[in-house]
Amino acid sequence: MKLTTVKELYKNPEQFLDKEITIGGWIRSIRDSKTFGFIVVNDGSYFQPLQVVYHDSMENFADISKQNVGAALVVTGTLVATPQAKQPFEIQATEVAVEGGSAPDYPLQKKRHTLEYLRTISHLRPRTNTFQAVFRVRSLIAYAIHQFFQERGFVYVHTPLITGSDCEGAGEMFRVTTLDMENLPKNEDGTVDYSKDFFNKETSLTVSGQLNGETYAQAFRSIYTFGPTFRAENSNTTRHAAEFWMIEPEIAFADLEDNMNLAEDMLKYIINYVLEEAPEEMNFFNSFVDKGLLERLKLVASSDFARVTYTEAVEILEKHNDKFEYKVSWGTDLQTEHERYLTEEIYKRPVFVTDYPKEIKAFYMKMNEDNKTVAAVDCLVPGIGEIIGGSQREDDYEKLVARMKELELREEDYQFYLDLRKYGSTRHAGFGLGFERCVMYLTGMSNIRDVIPFPRTVNNCEL
Amino acid sequence: MKLTTVKELYKNPEQFLDKEITIGGWIRSIRDSKTFGFIVVNDGSYFQPLQVVYHDSMENFADISKQNVGAALVVTGTLVATPQAKQPFEIQATEVAVEGGSAPDYPLQKKRHTLEYLRTISHLRPRTNTFQAVFRVRSLIAYAIHQFFQERGFVYVHTPLITGSDCEGAGEMFRVTTLDMENLPKNEDGTVDYSKDFFNKETSLTVSGQLNGETYAQAFRSIYTFGPTFRAENSNTTRHAAEFWMIEPEIAFADLEDNMNLAEDMLKYIINYVLEEAPEEMNFFNSFVDKGLLERLKLVASSDFARVTYTEAVEILEKHNDKFEYKVSWGTDLQTEHERYLTEEIYKRPVFVTDYPKEIKAFYMKMNEDNKTVAAVDCLVPGIGEIIGGSQREDDYEKLVARMKELELREEDYQFYLDLRKYGSTRHAGFGLGFERCVMYLTGMSNIRDVIPFPRTVNNCEL
């Protein structure tokens, strides 16, 4: 069907005013008097709806008037300017065809619903204002990320989801199997015989594409991943989901500073893109979801991010230990309360904290000369705390092997990873951005369940 | 580090000629005489490498000369034009710093390797010409797809990977579980107690995001998914992987013809984008992988796709049954040999085949008025056969329920899907494009294992 979108009308009204157009959309509200009626229609292409005026000159006037909220219509008529009204224009309809009615028990009648209730109808909630805004912005952020990296020549790499390695601790991983659970094949000693499983061994869902990503950075120099990641953590919080998306860029011939520059540029790019492309949605969030949102985002987009070492940050925070539930001292990981204090109270802008104690960071991070800290970096932003975590990677074969021994990691599990340090090793770095964390930050939504179309959390895997 | 990329040099040589630049990359080949040497360096940013000339005036001349293929270098020097040589310019180096050496057992010495061998070193193969080309083009295709849909206002939807439904047959799905396999919790009747599992029920990896995608199309009108999909099929072919990516657009207020127009526009857009953005890679494929590739792709990009019904196609094919291993008759599914004959011999261009017998298509496809065929469509292209499959969806509540009863599907499993037909149903359609199938088609690579960075197939889940 050749339909004009409401977005096109708003973007180029002069092209359509006083002309006949046809649109398709769903009723948000409808009211009629004896001889005419008003219908507010949303077609999903744009945050603003469109008002339709219809008259009893139509044969199906009565049928139209009894339509319910949620019904699908195809409307033909003339777009006319309405300088006295709050909306800029409306359609004077000549024809209103009912594409599909809406049963009287439609759950989204014109009234406010709680986010909790809307979570129970995840297949219908994208029809509400809030979720129209959330999921359009989610889509735009995803695209902004691709655009940012592609414009810079990064190669997009699909790292695998099913993995045979358990590099980050099997306890938090989901097992993937095709074995018959009611009749598991067994080894002679009574344990499960995974050689009968689909991949001829034990497999799980990945918790990170980083190690695979590094192999591609050593070939293409600048790469990024953007794909799903899984954590089987039994934690029922507003910030954790069992299935979420991650972006993990990795850059060769690059150190921690290059990494920070990339992260800073990326965050600013995403924010500017969304402010530009979704002003209606962003204003909606700022008015109804999170009052300080726009101010905060504009501050981030226009600040030079501060940079401080962990050691310096701890010195600063220790002076304010009376304000914290968990007291800060060198060697402890920073909690959200400390992170937010640093970025909101001390720096009043985003801040990179670098060079953390090796004990609280991963084995692959580059050891600093002090042999106590590693070249790790977290990016902290006002309103949320940590949004990005990354590091320069240990690129020295001997040092990496030594560190793995200290941590009792088995060399044979990491042969491919060690090969990168054997054949043309480069200084290189990368970071991870939790995509949902990013969407929450840009929309002001406070529960991760409300920024994922069909969220998966402990005991919850609906639709 | 501030490095110039080889891509920048090739795109804007005049900006860099006779100036000092610094590049970083990996040795592809190296040869030296007593007083000077040549190094061919690839930096991963561009398909063409760059030649570096170095001299014994350098302190580390001897050290450079003993570097092996694969070593990482940082080279500073002047870019000079080489009008007599086959390459347009080279670097006259003033400094060559060895970033990381390459051990003598580096598997990618300068000689030809078989694709089979390269599959055994999936962490290193992206450093070869073939896989530089494949995986850069894969990245560009992915971006072209995003760009195509975003430019048209489609909303990108992340449908879930872990699912509690088994809508397309549990036999081919991977189970996802956190139960202790060595000590499974049991119900009183001895069966496994999945209420103890992470999601409080049985869960698997998705085989399609379509049904979830439809719910978002009924809110945003035009949406697409682009994410991983899984099949636990025990088939060891060159075209099947257990983990692959799919693109599934879904459009509301749209019928089968709109669907075909969208698919045709998308394929042409992708082809043109890749021909434009990766001419060196595409020429490489055309010369060394698949001789007719460019001609075939240009034909597709410039043809109006033919459109024929299944019934007409069968009539045509029956006349040529002597040529086929499997004979064609009405009611049987088309095999690749038939598909290729249609598109390559009969139409000599891409062709959409529509309106298949309902028995060989899915329950959700819209029943035609003949009550024998459904509004399905497959897109066939020369050289491969089917590349896209789609349909208009059944949007009538009663008809959908009746069809589900015929097929003995349980209504309660599809309540959310039926709701879409109850509340503002619209005619709508969509299709699925297997991303790897698309990459194979555009590169001429004939084994799916060679277009996925780390392929997962039966008995194979390495790295």
mmCIF file of all heavy atoms in Angstrom, chain A residues 1 99 101 123 132 138-139 156 158 161-162 175 177 219 243 258 419 424 427 456, chain B residues 1 99 101 123 132 138-139 156 158 161-162 175 177 198 219 243 258 419 424 427 456:
data_model
loop_
_atom_site.group_PDB
_atom_site.id
_atom_site.type_symbol
_atom_site.label_atom_id
_atom_site.label_comp_id
_atom_site.label_asym_id
_atom_site.label_seq_id
_atom_site.Cartn_x
_atom_site.Cartn_y
_atom_site.Cartn_z
ATOM 1 N N MET A 1 0.849 -1.196 0.000
ATOM 2 C CA MET A 1 0.000 0.000 0.000
ATOM 3 C C MET A 1 0.881 1.240 0.000
ATOM 4 O O MET A 1 1.862 1.316 0.732
ATOM 5 C CB MET A 1 -0.836 0.056 1.288
ATOM 6 C CG MET A 1 -1.732 -1.141 1.507
ATOM 7 S SD MET A 1 -2.526 -0.993 3.117
ATOM 8 C CE MET A 1 -3.820 0.174 2.750
ATOM 9 N N GLU A 99 -9.287 -1.150 9.145
ATOM 10 C CA GLU A 99 -8.395 -2.242 8.743
ATOM 11 C C GLU A 99 -8.561 -3.422 9.687
ATOM 12 O O GLU A 99 -8.615 -4.567 9.257
ATOM 13 C CB GLU A 99 -6.950 -1.718 8.771
ATOM 14 C CG GLU A 99 -5.879 -2.737 8.522
ATOM 15 C CD GLU A 99 -5.676 -3.039 7.026
ATOM 16 O OE1 GLU A 99 -6.329 -2.395 6.184
ATOM 17 O OE2 GLU A 99 -4.862 -3.937 6.724
ATOM 18 N N GLY A 101 -10.488 -4.087 13.725
ATOM 19 C CA GLY A 101 -11.084 -3.552 14.947
ATOM 20 C C GLY A 101 -10.268 -3.923 16.176
ATOM 21 O O GLY A 101 -9.296 -4.667 16.092
ATOM 22 N N HIS A 123 4.083 -7.628 24.653
ATOM 23 C CA HIS A 123 3.776 -7.600 23.222
ATOM 24 C C HIS A 123 2.937 -6.389 22.842
ATOM 25 O O HIS A 123 2.851 -6.042 21.672
ATOM 26 C CB HIS A 123 3.070 -8.888 22.794
ATOM 27 C CG HIS A 123 1.765 -9.154 23.497
ATOM 28 N ND1 HIS A 123 1.621 -9.127 24.858
ATOM 29 C CD2 HIS A 123 0.525 -9.443 23.002
ATOM 30 C CE1 HIS A 123 0.364 -9.406 25.180
ATOM 31 N NE2 HIS A 123 -0.316 -9.594 24.068
ATOM 32 N N GLN A 132 7.004 3.632 22.905
ATOM 33 C CA GLN A 132 7.315 4.129 21.560
ATOM 34 C C GLN A 132 8.627 4.917 21.632
ATOM 35 O O GLN A 132 9.508 4.763 20.787
ATOM 36 C CB GLN A 132 6.202 5.068 21.059
ATOM 37 C CG GLN A 132 4.981 4.371 20.510
ATOM 38 C CD GLN A 132 5.083 4.055 19.030
ATOM 39 O OE1 GLN A 132 5.431 4.924 18.241
ATOM 40 N NE2 GLN A 132 4.805 2.828 18.660
ATOM 41 N N ARG A 138 16.154 3.352 21.428
ATOM 42 C CA ARG A 138 17.052 2.186 21.457
ATOM 43 C C ARG A 138 17.569 1.876 20.048
ATOM 44 O O ARG A 138 18.760 1.651 19.835
ATOM 45 C CB ARG A 138 16.313 0.967 22.029
ATOM 46 C CG ARG A 138 17.204 -0.276 22.140
ATOM 47 C CD ARG A 138 16.470 -1.487 22.745
ATOM 48 N NE ARG A 138 17.271 -2.680 22.520
ATOM 49 C CZ ARG A 138 17.867 -3.403 23.478
ATOM 50 N NH1 ARG A 138 17.711 -3.088 24.750
ATOM 51 N NH2 ARG A 138 18.609 -4.441 23.178
ATOM 52 N N SER A 139 16.675 1.896 19.088
ATOM 53 C CA SER A 139 17.056 1.622 17.695
ATOM 54 C C SER A 139 18.030 2.678 17.174
ATOM 55 O O SER A 139 19.018 2.361 16.508
ATOM 56 C CB SER A 139 15.784 1.577 16.832
ATOM 57 O OG SER A 139 16.087 1.572 15.464
ATOM 58 N N TYR A 156 33.162 -4.489 11.751
ATOM 59 C CA TYR A 156 32.180 -5.082 12.663
ATOM 60 C C TYR A 156 32.376 -6.599 12.660
ATOM 61 O O TYR A 156 32.277 -7.233 11.618
ATOM 62 C CB TYR A 156 30.779 -4.710 12.172
ATOM 63 C CG TYR A 156 29.608 -5.274 12.944
ATOM 64 C CD1 TYR A 156 29.683 -5.538 14.309
ATOM 65 C CD2 TYR A 156 28.389 -5.514 12.312
ATOM 66 C CE1 TYR A 156 28.582 -6.030 15.008
ATOM 67 C CE2 TYR A 156 27.288 -6.002 12.994
ATOM 68 C CZ TYR A 156 27.395 -6.266 14.337
ATOM 69 O OH TYR A 156 26.299 -6.759 15.023
ATOM 70 N N HIS A 158 31.263 -10.343 14.199
ATOM 71 C CA HIS A 158 30.313 -11.153 14.954
ATOM 72 C C HIS A 158 31.065 -12.238 15.701
ATOM 73 O O HIS A 158 31.400 -13.271 15.133
ATOM 74 C CB HIS A 158 29.285 -11.782 14.011
ATOM 75 C CG HIS A 158 28.299 -10.811 13.451
ATOM 76 N ND1 HIS A 158 28.070 -10.666 12.102
ATOM 77 C CD2 HIS A 158 27.491 -9.901 14.049
ATOM 78 C CE1 HIS A 158 27.146 -9.729 11.912
ATOM 79 N NE2 HIS A 158 26.787 -9.247 13.069
ATOM 80 N N LEU A 161 28.388 -16.750 19.953
ATOM 81 C CA LEU A 161 27.537 -16.759 21.145
ATOM 82 C C LEU A 161 27.727 -18.035 21.939
ATOM 83 O O LEU A 161 27.819 -18.022 23.153
ATOM 84 C CB LEU A 161 26.054 -16.641 20.741
ATOM 85 C CG LEU A 161 25.539 -15.289 20.291
ATOM 86 C CD1 LEU A 161 25.630 -14.296 21.428
ATOM 87 C CD2 LEU A 161 26.282 -14.733 19.095
ATOM 88 N N ILE A 162 27.763 -19.154 21.214
ATOM 89 C CA ILE A 162 28.005 -20.439 21.880
ATOM 90 C C ILE A 162 29.511 -20.624 21.981
ATOM 91 O O ILE A 162 30.235 -20.447 20.996
ATOM 92 C CB ILE A 162 27.385 -21.604 21.090
ATOM 93 C CG1 ILE A 162 25.874 -21.393 20.924
ATOM 94 C CG2 ILE A 162 27.670 -22.936 21.788
ATOM 95 C CD1 ILE A 162 25.199 -22.460 20.051
ATOM 96 N N ARG A 175 24.456 -23.185 30.319
ATOM 97 C CA ARG A 175 24.859 -24.324 29.514
ATOM 98 C C ARG A 175 24.002 -24.419 28.260
ATOM 99 O O ARG A 175 22.807 -24.115 28.286
ATOM 100 C CB ARG A 175 24.715 -25.608 30.326
ATOM 101 C CG ARG A 175 25.026 -26.868 29.530
ATOM 102 C CD ARG A 175 24.822 -28.121 30.366
ATOM 103 N NE ARG A 175 25.664 -28.089 31.562
ATOM 104 C CZ ARG A 175 26.970 -28.356 31.566
ATOM 105 N NH1 ARG A 175 27.573 -28.671 30.426
ATOM 106 N NH2 ARG A 175 27.650 -28.301 32.686
ATOM 107 N N THR A 177 22.993 -27.244 25.369
ATOM 108 C CA THR A 177 23.113 -28.688 25.167
ATOM 109 C C THR A 177 21.969 -29.232 24.318
ATOM 110 O O THR A 177 20.893 -28.633 24.273
ATOM 111 C CB THR A 177 23.153 -29.433 26.532
ATOM 112 O OG1 THR A 177 23.273 -30.836 26.288
ATOM 113 C CG2 THR A 177 21.890 -29.191 27.337
ATOM 114 N N ALA A 219 44.323 -8.228 13.117
ATOM 115 C CA ALA A 219 44.297 -8.404 11.665
ATOM 116 C C ALA A 219 43.766 -7.150 10.967
ATOM 117 O O ALA A 219 44.264 -6.750 9.928
ATOM 118 C CB ALA A 219 43.423 -9.603 11.302
ATOM 119 N N GLU A 243 20.160 -11.688 29.648
ATOM 120 C CA GLU A 243 20.515 -11.565 28.234
ATOM 121 C C GLU A 243 20.547 -10.082 27.895
ATOM 122 O O GLU A 243 19.562 -9.379 28.123
ATOM 123 C CB GLU A 243 19.438 -12.287 27.400
ATOM 124 C CG GLU A 243 19.618 -12.161 25.911
ATOM 125 C CD GLU A 243 18.498 -12.861 25.127
ATOM 126 O OE1 GLU A 243 18.132 -13.998 25.480
ATOM 127 O OE2 GLU A 243 17.975 -12.242 24.184
ATOM 128 N N ASP A 258 44.512 6.310 23.945
ATOM 129 C CA ASP A 258 43.729 6.161 22.717
ATOM 130 C C ASP A 258 42.351 5.568 23.025
ATOM 131 O O ASP A 258 41.336 5.946 22.441
ATOM 132 C CB ASP A 258 44.451 5.227 21.733
ATOM 133 C CG ASP A 258 45.789 5.789 21.286
ATOM 134 O OD1 ASP A 258 45.840 6.966 20.894
ATOM 135 O OD2 ASP A 258 46.789 5.046 21.343
ATOM 136 N N ASP A 419 48.949 -16.860 21.209
ATOM 137 C CA ASP A 419 49.500 -16.734 19.851
ATOM 138 C C ASP A 419 49.547 -15.271 19.404
ATOM 139 O O ASP A 419 50.450 -14.861 18.673
ATOM 140 C CB ASP A 419 48.631 -17.508 18.842
ATOM 141 C CG ASP A 419 49.034 -18.988 18.759
ATOM 142 O OD1 ASP A 419 50.004 -19.378 19.452
ATOM 143 O OD2 ASP A 419 48.380 -19.724 18.009
ATOM 144 N N GLY A 424 53.557 -11.029 15.974
ATOM 145 C CA GLY A 424 53.211 -9.653 15.644
ATOM 146 C C GLY A 424 52.364 -8.964 16.688
ATOM 147 O O GLY A 424 51.398 -8.269 16.370
ATOM 148 N N ARG A 427 50.817 -3.183 21.002
ATOM 149 C CA ARG A 427 50.088 -2.584 22.121
ATOM 150 C C ARG A 427 48.651 -2.410 21.641
ATOM 151 O O ARG A 427 48.422 -1.988 20.507
ATOM 152 C CB ARG A 427 50.731 -1.266 22.555
ATOM 153 C CG ARG A 427 50.517 -0.113 21.638
ATOM 154 C CD ARG A 427 51.494 1.022 21.918
ATOM 155 N NE ARG A 427 52.684 0.842 21.074
ATOM 156 C CZ ARG A 427 53.655 1.758 20.937
ATOM 157 N NH1 ARG A 427 53.605 2.890 21.612
ATOM 158 N NH2 ARG A 427 54.679 1.524 20.144
ATOM 159 N N ARG A 456 14.833 -10.923 29.764
ATOM 160 C CA ARG A 456 15.054 -12.219 30.399
ATOM 161 C C ARG A 456 15.774 -11.990 31.716
ATOM 162 O O ARG A 456 16.918 -11.505 31.731
ATOM 163 C CB ARG A 456 15.931 -13.116 29.509
ATOM 164 C CG ARG A 456 15.158 -13.947 28.488
ATOM 165 C CD ARG A 456 14.590 -13.141 27.370
ATOM 166 N NE ARG A 456 13.862 -13.941 26.403
ATOM 167 C CZ ARG A 456 12.506 -14.001 26.338
ATOM 168 N NH1 ARG A 456 11.751 -13.314 27.146
ATOM 169 N NH2 ARG A 456 11.909 -14.750 25.431
ATOM 170 N N MET B 1 48.281 6.317 19.772
ATOM 171 C CA MET B 1 49.284 6.700 18.774
ATOM 172 C C MET B 1 48.573 7.356 17.601
ATOM 173 O O MET B 1 47.540 6.874 17.151
ATOM 174 C CB MET B 1 49.988 5.450 18.244
ATOM 175 C CG MET B 1 50.668 4.621 19.293
ATOM 176 S SD MET B 1 51.348 3.108 18.534
ATOM 177 C CE MET B 1 52.829 3.752 17.777
ATOM 178 N N GLU B 99 57.387 -3.339 16.675
ATOM 179 C CA GLU B 99 56.384 -3.314 17.751
ATOM 180 C C GLU B 99 56.283 -4.692 18.402
ATOM 181 O O GLU B 99 56.218 -4.801 19.619
ATOM 182 C CB GLU B 99 55.036 -2.902 17.144
ATOM 183 C CG GLU B 99 53.848 -2.938 18.068
ATOM 184 C CD GLU B 99 53.737 -1.716 18.963
ATOM 185 O OE1 GLU B 99 54.546 -0.772 18.803
ATOM 186 O OE2 GLU B 99 52.839 -1.699 19.829
ATOM 187 N N GLY B 101 57.717 -8.868 17.414
ATOM 188 C CA GLY B 101 58.259 -9.831 16.460
ATOM 189 C C GLY B 101 57.284 -10.960 16.190
ATOM 190 O O GLY B 101 56.223 -11.055 16.808
ATOM 191 N N HIS B 123 41.836 -17.967 14.474
ATOM 192 C CA HIS B 123 42.278 -16.715 15.113
ATOM 193 C C HIS B 123 43.309 -15.987 14.251
ATOM 194 O O HIS B 123 43.555 -14.805 14.451
ATOM 195 C CB HIS B 123 42.828 -16.976 16.500
ATOM 196 C CG HIS B 123 44.013 -17.903 16.547
ATOM 197 N ND1 HIS B 123 44.025 -19.146 15.943
ATOM 198 C CD2 HIS B 123 45.224 -17.769 17.135
ATOM 199 C CE1 HIS B 123 45.187 -19.733 16.162
ATOM 200 N NE2 HIS B 123 45.936 -18.915 16.880
ATOM 201 N N GLN B 132 40.770 -11.217 4.885
ATOM 202 C CA GLN B 132 40.659 -9.757 4.985
ATOM 203 C C GLN B 132 39.480 -9.298 4.136
ATOM 204 O O GLN B 132 38.662 -8.483 4.562
ATOM 205 C CB GLN B 132 41.941 -9.080 4.459
ATOM 206 C CG GLN B 132 43.099 -9.076 5.435
ATOM 207 C CD GLN B 132 43.091 -7.861 6.351
ATOM 208 O OE1 GLN B 132 42.957 -6.732 5.906
ATOM 209 N NE2 GLN B 132 43.225 -8.103 7.643
ATOM 210 N N ARG B 138 31.856 -8.664 4.918
ATOM 211 C CA ARG B 138 30.801 -9.041 5.868
ATOM 212 C C ARG B 138 30.379 -7.841 6.711
ATOM 213 O O ARG B 138 29.195 -7.572 6.906
ATOM 214 C CB ARG B 138 31.295 -10.183 6.772
ATOM 215 C CG ARG B 138 30.232 -10.676 7.752
ATOM 216 C CD ARG B 138 30.709 -11.836 8.645
ATOM 217 N NE ARG B 138 29.756 -12.016 9.731
ATOM 218 C CZ ARG B 138 28.990 -13.090 9.902
ATOM 219 N NH1 ARG B 138 29.096 -14.114 9.105
ATOM 220 N NH2 ARG B 138 28.120 -13.142 10.894
ATOM 221 N N SER B 139 31.357 -7.109 7.204
ATOM 222 C CA SER B 139 31.079 -5.923 8.016
ATOM 223 C C SER B 139 30.320 -4.868 7.207
ATOM 224 O O SER B 139 29.360 -4.258 7.696
ATOM 225 C CB SER B 139 32.405 -5.360 8.535
ATOM 226 O OG SER B 139 32.245 -4.084 9.106
ATOM 227 N N TYR B 156 14.865 -0.806 14.592
ATOM 228 C CA TYR B 156 15.660 -2.025 14.820
ATOM 229 C C TYR B 156 15.244 -2.624 16.160
ATOM 230 O O TYR B 156 15.332 -1.968 17.192
ATOM 231 C CB TYR B 156 17.142 -1.638 14.834
ATOM 232 C CG TYR B 156 18.143 -2.746 15.106
ATOM 233 C CD1 TYR B 156 17.909 -4.062 14.737
ATOM 234 C CD2 TYR B 156 19.358 -2.448 15.711
ATOM 235 C CE1 TYR B 156 18.853 -5.054 14.977
ATOM 236 C CE2 TYR B 156 20.313 -3.426 15.946
ATOM 237 C CZ TYR B 156 20.057 -4.729 15.585
ATOM 238 O OH TYR B 156 20.997 -5.707 15.823
ATOM 239 N N HIS B 158 15.637 -5.734 18.951
ATOM 240 C CA HIS B 158 16.391 -6.890 19.431
ATOM 241 C C HIS B 158 15.411 -7.902 19.998
ATOM 242 O O HIS B 158 14.979 -7.776 21.145
ATOM 243 C CB HIS B 158 17.401 -6.470 20.503
ATOM 244 C CG HIS B 158 18.569 -5.701 19.964
ATOM 245 N ND1 HIS B 158 18.933 -4.473 20.442
ATOM 246 C CD2 HIS B 158 19.444 -5.986 18.978
ATOM 247 C CE1 HIS B 158 20.007 -4.035 19.764
ATOM 248 N NE2 HIS B 158 20.327 -4.935 18.878
ATOM 249 N N LEU B 161 16.992 -14.018 22.429
ATOM 250 C CA LEU B 161 17.725 -15.218 22.007
ATOM 251 C C LEU B 161 17.275 -16.433 22.795
ATOM 252 O O LEU B 161 17.071 -17.503 22.242
ATOM 253 C CB LEU B 161 19.236 -15.015 22.213
ATOM 254 C CG LEU B 161 19.976 -14.108 21.244
ATOM 255 C CD1 LEU B 161 19.941 -14.698 19.852
ATOM 256 C CD2 LEU B 161 19.436 -12.705 21.219
ATOM 257 N N ILE B 162 17.139 -16.228 24.105
ATOM 258 C CA ILE B 162 16.650 -17.331 24.937
ATOM 259 C C ILE B 162 15.124 -17.276 24.920
ATOM 260 O O ILE B 162 14.536 -16.218 25.125
ATOM 261 C CB ILE B 162 17.167 -17.203 26.387
ATOM 262 C CG1 ILE B 162 18.700 -17.187 26.404
ATOM 263 C CG2 ILE B 162 16.623 -18.337 27.247
ATOM 264 C CD1 ILE B 162 19.292 -16.950 27.791
ATOM 265 N N ARG B 175 18.966 -26.564 24.050
ATOM 266 C CA ARG B 175 18.460 -26.270 25.384
ATOM 267 C C ARG B 175 19.408 -25.312 26.099
ATOM 268 O O ARG B 175 20.626 -25.392 25.944
ATOM 269 C CB ARG B 175 18.356 -27.554 26.208
ATOM 270 C CG ARG B 175 17.924 -27.328 27.652
ATOM 271 C CD ARG B 175 17.863 -28.635 28.421
ATOM 272 N NE ARG B 175 16.929 -29.574 27.795
ATOM 273 C CZ ARG B 175 15.610 -29.489 27.907
ATOM 274 N NH1 ARG B 175 15.063 -28.533 28.630
ATOM 275 N NH2 ARG B 175 14.832 -30.379 27.302
ATOM 276 N N THR B 177 20.251 -24.042 29.984
ATOM 277 C CA THR B 177 19.937 -24.444 31.362
ATOM 278 C C THR B 177 21.070 -24.081 32.317
ATOM 279 O O THR B 177 22.226 -23.959 31.903
ATOM 280 C CB THR B 177 19.659 -25.972 31.424
ATOM 281 O OG1 THR B 177 19.357 -26.333 32.768
ATOM 282 C CG2 THR B 177 20.868 -26.786 30.975
ATOM 283 N N PHE B 198 16.884 -21.877 35.750
ATOM 284 C CA PHE B 198 17.069 -20.430 35.905
ATOM 285 C C PHE B 198 15.787 -19.637 35.656
ATOM 286 O O PHE B 198 15.463 -18.695 36.369
ATOM 287 C CB PHE B 198 18.170 -19.948 34.952
ATOM 288 C CG PHE B 198 18.609 -18.527 35.185
ATOM 289 C CD1 PHE B 198 19.621 -18.235 36.098
ATOM 290 C CD2 PHE B 198 18.010 -17.478 34.509
ATOM 291 C CE1 PHE B 198 20.023 -16.927 36.324
ATOM 292 C CE2 PHE B 198 18.409 -16.161 34.732
ATOM 293 C CZ PHE B 198 19.422 -15.887 35.639
ATOM 294 N N ALA B 219 3.187 -1.965 16.294
ATOM 295 C CA ALA B 219 3.318 -0.740 17.090
ATOM 296 C C ALA B 219 4.092 0.326 16.318
ATOM 297 O O ALA B 219 3.749 1.503 16.364
ATOM 298 C CB ALA B 219 4.041 -1.042 18.405
ATOM 299 N N GLU B 243 24.934 -21.766 14.431
ATOM 300 C CA GLU B 243 24.743 -20.392 14.907
ATOM 301 C C GLU B 243 24.962 -19.472 13.723
ATOM 302 O O GLU B 243 26.016 -19.520 13.087
ATOM 303 C CB GLU B 243 25.775 -20.108 16.013
ATOM 304 C CG GLU B 243 25.762 -18.696 16.532
ATOM 305 C CD GLU B 243 26.832 -18.463 17.600
ATOM 306 O OE1 GLU B 243 26.989 -19.310 18.503
ATOM 307 O OE2 GLU B 243 27.516 -17.438 17.511
ATOM 308 N N ASP B 258 4.136 -5.488 -1.474
ATOM 309 C CA ASP B 258 5.010 -4.566 -0.732
ATOM 310 C C ASP B 258 6.248 -5.300 -0.215
ATOM 311 O O ASP B 258 7.355 -4.771 -0.199
ATOM 312 C CB ASP B 258 4.252 -3.976 0.461
ATOM 313 C CG ASP B 258 3.050 -3.142 0.025
ATOM 314 O OD1 ASP B 258 3.208 -2.295 -0.866
ATOM 315 O OD2 ASP B 258 1.946 -3.360 0.559
ATOM 316 N N ASP B 419 -3.390 -12.150 20.052
ATOM 317 C CA ASP B 419 -3.784 -10.796 20.480
ATOM 318 C C ASP B 419 -3.580 -9.768 19.367
ATOM 319 O O ASP B 419 -4.343 -8.816 19.237
ATOM 320 C CB ASP B 419 -2.958 -10.352 21.702
ATOM 321 C CG ASP B 419 -3.549 -10.847 23.012
ATOM 322 O OD1 ASP B 419 -4.628 -11.488 22.981
ATOM 323 O OD2 ASP B 419 -2.938 -10.600 24.065
ATOM 324 N N GLY B 424 -6.591 -4.337 16.683
ATOM 325 C CA GLY B 424 -6.033 -3.497 15.622
ATOM 326 C C GLY B 424 -5.180 -4.267 14.635
ATOM 327 O O GLY B 424 -4.088 -3.829 14.263
ATOM 328 N N ARG B 427 -3.187 -5.934 7.713
ATOM 329 C CA ARG B 427 -2.483 -6.793 6.755
ATOM 330 C C ARG B 427 -0.998 -6.503 6.953
ATOM 331 O O ARG B 427 -0.602 -5.333 7.110
ATOM 332 C CB ARG B 427 -2.953 -6.521 5.332
ATOM 333 C CG ARG B 427 -2.490 -5.234 4.728
ATOM 334 C CD ARG B 427 -3.318 -4.880 3.505
ATOM 335 N NE ARG B 427 -4.423 -4.000 3.899
ATOM 336 C CZ ARG B 427 -5.228 -3.374 3.053
ATOM 337 N NH1 ARG B 427 -5.104 -3.529 1.764
ATOM 338 N NH2 ARG B 427 -6.195 -2.594 3.496
ATOM 339 N N ARG B 456 30.281 -22.331 14.184
ATOM 340 C CA ARG B 456 29.811 -23.416 15.056
ATOM 341 C C ARG B 456 29.001 -24.397 14.215
ATOM 342 O O ARG B 456 27.948 -24.043 13.677
ATOM 343 C CB ARG B 456 28.904 -22.855 16.177
ATOM 344 C CG ARG B 456 29.676 -22.437 17.431
ATOM 345 C CD ARG B 456 30.404 -21.144 17.264
ATOM 346 N NE ARG B 456 31.144 -20.754 18.468
ATOM 347 C CZ ARG B 456 32.458 -20.909 18.644
ATOM 348 N NH1 ARG B 456 33.208 -21.434 17.708
ATOM 349 N NH2 ARG B 456 33.031 -20.508 19.755
#
